[in-house]
Amino acid sequence: MATVQMTLDVWAEPNGRVFAVQGEADARFLEVTFVSGGVPVDLTGKTVSLYMVKPDGNEIFNACTLEDGAGGRVTAELTAQMSAAAGRAKDVEFRITGGEAGTDTLKVKGPAIVFLPSDYDGAIASTPEYTALTQALAEVSDFETVKALAQGAIPASEKGAANGVATLDSSGKLSQMPAAADVGAIPTSEKGAANGVATLDSSGKLVQMPTPADVGIPVYVTEWSYNSNGYYAKYSSGQMMCYGRVSVSPSFTQSGTTDFAIASATVNYPVAFAGTPTVTFTTSSSGYVSSCLGGQYADRFLARFTTIAGTSPSGITVQYIAVGAWT
């Protein structure tokens, strides 16, 4: 019905792409002329087949129709099975066989074939298709040829025997199923056992995850978190560090008859220490403010501020680090 013509040089890399639609049958044909350096390949007495892997993994191995042997021209039909699965076909190639013994094989890479998806009625199930093999078997007409093929079959005495051929049970599984040791598999008893093989949890992580101490890290973080007061990290050594950046709004009052005003603010740690830690802090603001450390406690410290009387500095921020014990 619809034919596209193309020329494939057996010495060149193929190019081009052809499109078909899922569900088509007996409607599109590839007319291919094979050349070698511009000269047609003589296909007289040769068999040409089209091989490809459909997008769903099923194979196609179909016979092509020889149109002009001396001119190197054949026709390949895009069958219903070829278009049963949408997507791009893989490994598209033409196989030219012949010779006196019928063993000469020339493989020519074909163009990219893309089957566009279509919601169509009467969809067929996608299966492999081997019309080239069916045709080859149909051409076996003499008894001697059939006999030669039969002689290549496996004798019944060798099936299931030592150094013979494995057999299948009623479920399609090997009757002579090898043991784990036969194929080098790890026995279940060794998985997760001492001196065995590590196992994984449902998240794909090691169940036997080593600790930092196992890999030579003497001091490591055992807990880390934060809240509105700042961040903290607890270490395996029993030490803890708290740090943070908090905004305070102290109320300044004039100090006696001096030209200075003073204020204080309490800064809370995110978690309490076991005892009074060592703390240091700095202050930033929109005005001139000096600061110093006041009272110190396990869960907080007092920051004292001094500024010029009559001013109202704002945006005061305290940045601190405190180190002590958590146990």
Side-chain angles (χ1 to χ4, degrees):
M1 184 180 297
T3 301
V4 63
Q5 297 177 334
M6 62 182 64
T7 300
L8 296 178
D9 192 322
V10 300
W11 295 101
E13 183 177 357
N15 53 40
R17 178 184 301 182
V18 295
F19 293 87
V21 180
Q22 182 184 16
E24 293 181 325
D26 304 325
R28 296 181 191 263
F29 300 85
L30 304 179
E31 185 178 287
V32 183
T33 300
F34 298 98
V35 299
S36 175
V39 179
V41 176
D42 189 354
L43 300 179
T44 304
K46 304 293 192 298
T47 299
V48 182
S49 304
L50 172 60
Y51 173 84
M52 72 179 193
V53 180
K54 293 193 287 184
D56 61 2
N58 283 310
E59 293 180 310
I60 296 291
F61 189 49
N62 287 355
C64 298
T65 301
L66 185 63
E67 304 291 352
D68 181 359
R73 180 165 52 89
V74 300
T75 298
E77 175 188 350
L78 299 187
T79 66
Q81 266 304 327
M82 288 185 183
S83 66
R88 177 172 176 168
K90 297 176 289 186
D91 303 328
V92 178
E93 66 181 29
F94 290 90
R95 298 182 181 180
I96 304 172
T97 58
E100 184 175 345
T103 57
D104 297 349
T105 302
L106 176 64
K107 297 182 179 181
V108 184
K109 288 296 183 180
I113 303 178
V114 180
F115 296 95
L116 302 176
S118 173
D119 294 329
Y120 64 98
D121 297 330
I124 65 171
S126 178
T127 62
E129 186 174 56
Y130 305 105
T131 64
L133 296 179
T134 302
Q135 178 177 316
L137 290 174
E139 293 173 355
V140 178
S141 57
D142 63 281
F143 176 77
E144 290 301 321
T145 302
V146 175
K147 180 180 178 180
L149 291 173
Q151 288 175 344
I154 300 169
S157 60
E158 294 184 10
K159 295 180 179 180
N163 298 317
V165 178
T167 54
L168 304 179
D169 60 20
S170 58
S171 301
K173 298 181 179 179
L174 282 173
S175 298
Q176 303 82 6
M177 183 61 68
D182 294 335
V183 295
I186 301 168
T188 303
S189 59
E190 294 184 11
K191 295 179 179 179
N195 298 318
V197 179
T199 53
L200 304 179
D201 61 19
S202 58
S203 301
K205 297 180 180 179
L206 282 173
V207 175
Q208 303 83 2
M209 183 63 70
T211 65
D214 293 335
V215 294
I217 301 176
V219 179
Y220 50 91
V221 175
T222 61
E223 182 182 344
W224 180 92
S225 189
Y226 64 93
N227 55 40
S228 59
N229 294 328
Y231 299 80
Y232 71 91
K234 294 181 179 180
Y235 295 87
S236 59
S237 61
Q239 295 292 102
M240 180 171 69
M241 178 175 67
C242 293
Y243 57 98
R245 178 187 178 94
V246 295
S247 297
V248 296
S249 300
S251 179
F252 285 90
T253 58
Q254 187 169 355
S255 177
T257 60
T258 66
D259 293 329
F260 299 98
I262 59 175
S264 62
T266 298
V267 177
N268 297 308
Y269 301 128
V271 293
F273 289 88
T276 303
T278 299
V279 61
T280 182
F281 75 94
T282 60
T283 303
S284 61
S285 72
S286 62
Y288 294 97
V289 175
S290 62
S291 60
C292 67
L293 184 62
Q296 300 180 61
Y297 308 94
D299 61 345
R300 66 192 186 282
F301 69 89
L302 188 67
R304 292 178 175 169
F305 306 99
T306 303
T307 188
I308 300 172
T311 64
S312 299
S314 61
I316 299 177
T317 301
V318 174
Q319 303 173 70
Y320 72 90
I321 296 178
V323 178
W326 64 273
T327 57

